[in-house]
Amino acid sequence: MGRIRYLKGDATSPQAKGPKVIAHICNDRGGWGRGFVEAVSRRWPEPEAAYRRWHRERARNDFALGAVQIVQVKPDTWVANMIGQHGIRTSRSAGPPIRYEAVRACLRRLAAEAADLGASVHMPRIGCGLAGGRWDRVEPLVTAELTDHGVQVTVYDAD
């Protein structure tokens, strides 16, 4: 099927025509403020505000590992807040906070959303920064859940 396209650049500035979804990993504790989300928040306030509201109202919604929140930021651009990280890394943490099965579930949901929007998906190497994941484990999930289902994916590496 399709293959992941790799580019140097900023995932918050997708290099594509047509509808686009910018995907990233969030934690399940309501924390927002370090890593890729800083770049998202510099560009648009809506994804952070939506994530914080989603977490605050979690007793009445689907906020949990594996859940995805799609937030429109421009007429043709959305941000996917994907809960794929359990807690945050601390000096006392046992292992990285990434949860690969939650990432897989997020990507499966994202594939359906992208198909509905007719959108391509753009992301940094999700789960491999503060979440502590390894790209050699995340990349096959992206392939299986997105590109193998016809979703065009571009992964951005910072310059």
Side-chain angles (χ1 to χ4, degrees):
M1 283 296 240
R3 303 188 44 170
I4 298 171
R5 181 172 72 137
Y6 290 89
L7 291 179
K8 291 271 186 229
D10 177 0
T12 67
S13 184
Q15 304 302 303
K17 297 206 181 315
K20 297 166 275 298
V21 176
I22 299 164
H24 69 108
I25 298 295
C26 299
N27 65 66
D28 63 355
R29 296 280 165 86
W32 180 293
R34 291 183 52 221
F36 182 70
V37 299
E38 293 176 295
V40 171
S41 289
R42 274 195 300 276
R43 199 168 286 267
W44 310 286
E46 298 91 348
E48 178 179 357
Y51 170 80
R52 291 188 184 281
R53 186 170 48 254
W54 190 28
H55 176 261
R56 193 171 51 249
E57 298 170 1
R58 65 192 177 281
R60 298 183 302 281
N61 65 38
D62 67 343
F63 185 96
L65 284 169
V68 177
Q69 179 188 53
I70 304 291
V71 181
Q72 190 165 13
V73 293
K74 289 171 47 181
D76 66 345
T77 307
W78 293 261
V79 171
N81 293 333
M82 305 191 305
I83 311 298
Q85 176 182 329
H86 180 60
I88 56 172
R89 186 180 289 203
T90 66
S91 58
R92 299 179 304 283
S93 300
I98 190 165
R99 294 297 180 266
Y100 293 106
E101 281 310 307
V103 173
R104 178 187 294 279
C106 288
L107 292 169
R108 187 172 296 139
R109 289 185 171 98
L110 178 60
E113 294 281 355
D116 286 350
L117 296 168
S120 55
V121 171
H122 304 265
M123 63 179 70
R125 292 186 187 232
I126 58 168
C128 298
L130 296 173
R134 294 191 353 238
W135 188 246
D136 65 348
R137 292 196 55 196
V138 174
E139 183 185 44
L141 302 177
V142 173
T143 298
E145 301 300 336
L146 294 173
T147 61
D148 284 355
H149 293 279
V151 178
Q152 289 184 311
V153 176
T154 303
V155 171
Y156 297 80
D157 290 309
D159 296 324

